[in-house]
Amino acid sequence: TDQGKHLNRSLKMVQKAVEAEPDNIAYLDSLGWAYYRLGQFDLAVEELETAAGSDENPDGVILDHLGDAYLKSGDKAKALAIYGQLQALKGAQHQIRAGALRGAVVTRGVEGIPLMVKALQDDDYILTAAAARAAEIAAADHSRPPSALLQPAHQPGTHDAARARDQGDRFRHRRVSSC
């Protein structure tokens, strides 16, 4: 479902999987994400809340999906709470940290600018690149799903981590040279 191909077929398959194993968190997350990708945000929230609530320590990816679904369904307060929870996760994968920053910035709109500025000044190149990407996308295109805001534009032969590091270096260099 992440590639956006055959969403209706994927939905039917995941629904069958959930029928067979209704307590399987991965299946519930996949079902919620399929609903999200189909624009059925209320159903997405329902399934993703179930997936997140089924575990004492929910997976960061599930929380990121839930935050995105809350945002699209219009519940900014819950989206911000989820993104805050993601930002507090210690040792989270860089995609989760970047997603939490992106979500917090996009949800806050103009009030998210201080978060972007702070991330642009951070030594963590992932967050620097995430802030730059969030600013770029938010300024240009509000129609993309929040989880896609920080997906790098794939360039053949370019490693994502190296590109993110280079992007962060460019912004740090620009900041230093403009002082």
Side-chain angles (χ1 to χ4, degrees):
T1 60
D2 276 342
Q3 294 179 356
K5 298 178 181 177
H6 312 292
L7 287 173
N8 288 317
R9 190 171 86 191
S10 296
L11 176 64
K12 289 176 186 173
M13 291 171 63
V14 142
Q15 285 171 327
K16 286 181 184 180
V18 169
E19 284 175 23
E21 294 183 46
D23 296 327
N24 186 311
I25 294 169
Y27 292 166
L28 291 168
D29 176 57
S30 294
L31 180 58
W33 196 240
Y35 283 134
Y36 177 92
R37 296 298 306 265
L38 288 166
Q40 299 176 23
F41 304 118
D42 291 336
L43 290 173
V45 164
E46 185 179 322
E47 297 301 334
L48 292 166
E49 281 179 337
T50 302
S54 299
D55 193 357
E56 195 171 295
N57 296 307
D59 181 79
V61 172
I62 295 171
L63 290 176
D64 188 42
H65 288 168
L66 181 57
D68 291 350
Y70 280 142
L71 183 59
K72 283 292 195 174
S73 69
D75 196 336
K76 288 185 176 183
K78 285 185 179 179
L80 281 172
I82 293 292
Y83 295 135
Q85 188 177 351
L86 284 169
Q87 288 176 311
L89 287 177
K90 301 292 183 205
Q93 299 171 340
H94 70 272
Q95 298 97 327
I96 301 303
R97 293 184 359 253
L101 174 65
R102 177 255 320 131
V105 168
V106 170
T107 304
R108 286 182 173 90
V110 174
E111 286 90 34
I113 291 173
L115 291 173
M116 282 193 302
V117 170
K118 182 179 181 220
L120 287 169
Q121 295 170 340
D122 200 303
D123 287 334
D124 185 339
Y125 69 88
I126 296 294
L127 294 182
T128 301
R133 185 77 172 143
E136 173 189 358
I137 302 283
D141 183 7
H142 292 286
S143 66
R144 294 175 68 188
S147 62
L149 290 179
L150 295 176
Q151 298 302 317
H154 288 284
Q155 300 168 359
T158 305
H159 189 269
D160 289 345
R163 188 172 54 256
R165 182 188 64 246
D166 293 344
Q167 211 175 9
D169 289 344
R170 258 198 339 268
F171 283 98
R172 258 192 235 78
H173 176 70
R174 200 178 294 153
R175 217 177 33 251
V176 170
S177 62
S178 67
C179 295

